[in-house]
Amino acid sequence: MSLSAAETPAPDLTPGLTPAQQARRAHMGLLARARPDDLARGLAGLFPDLPAHSFLRAPEVGAVMVQGRTGATGAPFNLGEMTVTRCTLRLASGEVGHAHVQGRDKAHATRAALVDALMQTDAASDVQGMLDGLTASEATRRRARAARAAATKVEFFTLVRGEDQ
Amino acid sequence: MYVAVKGGERAIANAHAFLAEERRGDTAVAELTVPQIREQLKLAVNRVMAEGSLYDPDLAALAIKQARGDMIEAVFLIRAYRTTLPRLAASLPLESADMACIRRVSATFKDAPGGQVLGPTFDYTHRLLDFKLLAEGEAPLAAEAAPLAARTPHITGFLNRDGLIQDEPADNTTPPDLTREPLELPASRALRLQALARGDEGFILGLAYSTQRGYGRTHAFVGELRIGTVAVEMEIPELGFAVEIGEVEITECETVNQFKGSKTEPPQFTRGYGLVFGQSERKAIAMSLVDRALRWKELGEDFTGAPAQDEEFVLSHSDNIQATGFLEHIKLPHYVDFQAELELVRRLRSEAAAAREAAE
C-alpha cells in the first residue's frame, strides 16, 4: 500500500475566536511555556519594579488532570495529573490578567498574569517586544531538539543482489 | 493474655535519624542535588512521574533523592503529595498528532511518512559497560541536521484511510477517574487505560510478555512508537476559550493486531494503545499489548483464562502503591492477631492430645 500521503494539516483548535482572543491565547500559552528565568529577566528589563497590582486570586498551586485519547483519536481517558499554578490579578489601572502555568512557581504565575494584564494597556507594544524575545528563545530551543532528532533519521538503501543483475 | 502497650518513640526517632544519615552516605562524596537527578537520571524521574501519576520533574527528582533511589517509595511520596493539591480542572485531550517528536519508529512500514527517527535510544547500543563514564567532565555533543516536518502523521491514520484497521472515532465523553471513584468492574476502556498508565512498569511488562508467550496472544506489531513533547490545553472559564498551560513529554505506542473479522465486521486490523508520561517506551509498548488483550470481549474473542485478559486480575494488581502498602503492612506489629492464632493452635493441640489420650 502507498503511504505517500501529503502533509496532514494541523486541525484548527480555535474556531470562532476573534483576532484579539487568538492573540491573547497565543501570548498566554507562550508565557506558560516560557522558562521562569527568561520571563523574570524580560519583565525586569521593562519594569525594574513589578507594576502595582492586587490579587483577585492569589497564586495557587493545584493539579490539572491531563487527558489522552484512546488510540490517539478516540474517546478521552485520564492519563495523570500535572502541577499548575494559577493567578488572577488587577493592575492599578483596572486591567485584569489571568495565568495558568505549569509547575509550582508562584512568582512565574504572577509575572505571567501581569504580562497578560499589561497587554491590555498602552504598554502592550513594549511588552510585545519582550514576548517576541520569548518566542525567539523558544524557537531556538525547539529547533535544537528537532535538529538532533533529524540527525537520527534512518536513510535506507537497497543492496543490489547478484541474481538481479 | 496480651495487654496493648505503647512505646518505641525514641527508637522510631533514632531510626529516622539513622535513615537520614544513610541517605546522605559518605560525606567525603559530594551530595547529589535535585537538579542533577532531574537532568541525569531522567528516565528514573519519568518513571516516578508516570506511576506517581503527577507530571512534575522537580518533585519526582526530589522524591527519588528522599527515597534513596527506591522507585516505589518515590512513587509513594508523589502519590501522597498529589492528594494535597486542589484539582483545578481537566485538560483538553492531548493531540499526539501534533507532538514534536524526538523519536518515531514504525515496525510495520519502512517508508512511513515522516521517516524512522531513532532519537536518543538504547537500541543498537552494545550493552557493554562504558568505563569512560567513570571519568568526570564528559559533555558529549549530538549531531544535528535540518529539522524535519513539524507534524508527523500517525501510521494508523494511513491504514484507517483504506479501512484496514478498526476506527477510533473521537468523542468528548467525560472519562471515569480512578482517583475520584473506586474501581468498578466491568471497567470501561478509558478506566483501564488510566489504570495501566499509572500501573507498575514491571507488572505491566510481565503481563505483556505473558501475552507474547501465548497467554492471551494478540499478534501485535508496533505500528508506531513516538516520543516527544505535546502542548497541554485547558479551558479557562474566565476567558471562554482554551489556552496552553504547558508542555509534557510523553511516549505513545500504537500496536496493529490481527483480527479475523466477524459476521458484521470485515477482516481488519485492531489496535492496542499505550500512553505514558515521559520517555518510557518499554512501559508504553507493554501497556498497548495489555490494553489489546483486555479487549477480547468487545472484539468477540475467546476468553482463554489468560491473566492479561482478566481485567479484575490486571486492574486490581497493577498499582504498586496499593500492592506494596498491603504487602509491607504485614511486617508491622500484629502481636494481637498472632496471639489469637497462638492461643488457637495451643487449644487445638491440647484438644487433640486429650482426644488421643481418651482413645488409648
Side-chain angles (χ1 to χ4, degrees), chain B residues 40-354:
Chain B
Q40 297 173 37
L41 295 179
K42 191 176 166 190
L43 301 190
V45 168
N46 287 345
R47 182 167 177 188
V48 170
M49 293 197 300
E51 294 171 27
S53 207
L54 184 71
Y55 196 99
D56 189 314
D58 290 308
L59 287 181
L62 172 62
I64 290 168
K65 178 173 178 173
Q66 187 178 333
R68 308 177 61 198
D70 180 333
M71 299 298 278
I72 293 182
E73 184 69 21
V75 171
F76 200 162
L77 293 168
I78 293 299
R79 289 278 186 92
Y81 175 80
R82 69 150 287 280
T83 62
T84 67
L85 295 174
R87 171 76 63 83
L88 303 182
S91 79
L92 299 183
L94 299 176
E95 292 296 338
S96 60
D98 294 332
M99 179 190 288
C101 297
I102 56 163
R103 171 164 168 79
R104 189 285 196 124
V105 292
S106 170
T108 53
F109 294 109
K110 177 170 74 71
D111 297 314
Q116 308 275 350
V117 177
L118 300 181
T121 180
F122 290 123
D123 296 350
Y124 317 109
T125 62
H126 294 104
R127 267 74 180 213
L128 298 173
L129 278 174
D130 181 1
F131 291 98
K132 288 202 297 293
L133 293 175
L134 280 173
E136 290 174 30
E138 285 273 303
L141 287 177
E144 297 188 30
L148 304 165
R151 203 158 184 275
T152 310
H154 276 115
I155 302 277
T156 45
F158 297 109
L159 279 170
N160 194 17
R161 200 180 300 163
D162 297 328
L164 288 175
I165 194 162
Q166 155 242 334
D167 195 13
E168 208 70 82
D171 72 42
N172 288 309
T173 49
T174 303
D177 186 352
L178 267 182
T179 67
R180 292 303 168 97
E181 302 110 29
L183 176 65
E184 274 192 33
L185 299 169
S188 63
R189 191 171 175 205
L191 198 68
R192 297 196 304 244
L193 288 171
Q194 183 183 13
L196 294 174
R198 71 209 305 261
D200 182 76
E201 180 173 316
F203 182 77
I204 308 293
L205 169 66
L207 282 172
Y209 181 44
S210 75
T211 70
Q212 291 184 297
R213 292 193 63 256
Y215 294 85
R217 188 187 293 280
T218 60
H219 304 274
F221 293 96
V222 172
E224 180 166 1
L225 180 68
R226 54 168 69 193
I227 302 177
T229 48
V230 285
V232 182
E233 287 200 47
M234 189 179 117
E235 291 279 353
I236 309 294
E238 294 89 338
L239 303 180
F241 54 88
V243 301
E244 288 184 17
I245 59 171
E247 285 178 322
V248 291
E249 187 171 47
I250 53 172
T251 304
E252 180 184 57
C253 177
E254 291 192 273
T255 58
V256 176
N257 303 67
Q258 280 182 12
F259 180 50
K260 282 197 276 290
S262 67
K263 291 189 188 81
T264 53
E265 301 272 340
Q268 60 178 182
F269 292 112
T270 57
R271 305 166 170 219
Y273 189 65
L275 189 69
V276 187
F277 278 151
Q279 293 184 31
S280 186
E281 61 189 51
R282 181 185 306 116
K283 170 83 178 278
I285 298 168
M287 177 175 169
S288 59
L289 262 59
V290 177
D291 169 51
R292 178 59 185 79
L294 288 169
R295 298 181 64 204
W296 63 272
K297 200 180 284 179
E298 69 178 279
L299 296 171
E301 296 168 341
D302 292 332
F303 177 68
T304 63
Q309 290 181 310
D310 183 341
E311 70 171 10
E312 181 172 0
F313 181 82
V314 174
L315 301 187
S316 304
H317 302 119
S318 60
D319 191 295
N320 53 23
I321 301 310
Q322 280 176 11
T324 206
F326 197 70
L327 180 100
E328 293 198 51
H329 100 278
I330 65 171
K331 73 192 172 185
L332 300 174
H334 281 65
Y335 306 140
V336 176
D337 300 59
F338 186 69
Q339 196 71 24
E341 298 264 313
L342 198 58
E343 291 289 328
L344 184 61
V345 171
R346 281 188 177 136
R347 201 173 71 235
L348 291 172
R349 283 171 64 93
S350 67
E351 283 171 10

